[in-house]
Amino acid sequence: VLLRRAVDREPTAFWPGFTLGLAAYQLGRNEEAAEAFSRSSALTKSYRGRCYYHLGLAHAAGGNRSAALDDFNRALDLDPAFAATA
C-alpha cells in the first residue's frame, strides 16, 4: 500500500516504481511486476538494463517465455556487464 501511494505521489520517480515491481514479483503478482518494471525502464537510463532483466523474470514467472527471452536479450544489449553481476 505504501509503495503504491509513493508511486501515485511521484509517478516519475524511479525507485518507488522499481521497488513496487520487486515487491509484486516476490508476491507472485507477475503482471503487476511486469507493468512496474516496464514503467521504470522508461524513467531511467542508468538502470534500464536492470529493469529489463527484472521484466524478464516477471514474464518468465508468468509463463511468457518468449517475452522473457526478448527482455533478457534487451538487458544484455543495454548493459553487457550486468550479466556478470546478476
Side-chain angles (χ1 to χ4, degrees):
V1 173
L2 294 177
L3 283 172
R4 282 195 191 100
R5 194 176 303 158
V7 170
D8 289 343
R9 285 185 183 167
E10 294 187 61
T12 60
F14 171 76
W15 287 111
F18 185 79
T19 305
L20 178 64
L22 292 174
Y25 176 73
Q26 290 295 320
L27 293 170
R29 298 177 184 168
N30 301 314
E31 204 170 295
E32 182 181 349
E35 183 180 316
F37 293 133
S38 181
R39 188 174 37 244
S40 294
S41 72
L43 299 175
T44 184
K45 289 186 181 186
S46 301
Y47 298 106
R48 193 166 285 155
R50 186 175 302 254
C51 290
Y52 275 97
Y53 169 76
H54 284 88
L55 181 59
L57 291 177
H59 279 144
N64 192 342
R65 292 186 177 134
S66 176
L69 182 59
D70 290 344
D71 297 331
F72 292 140
N73 284 327
R74 179 84 167 133
L76 289 173
D77 287 344
L78 290 166
D79 188 359
F82 181 67
T85 63

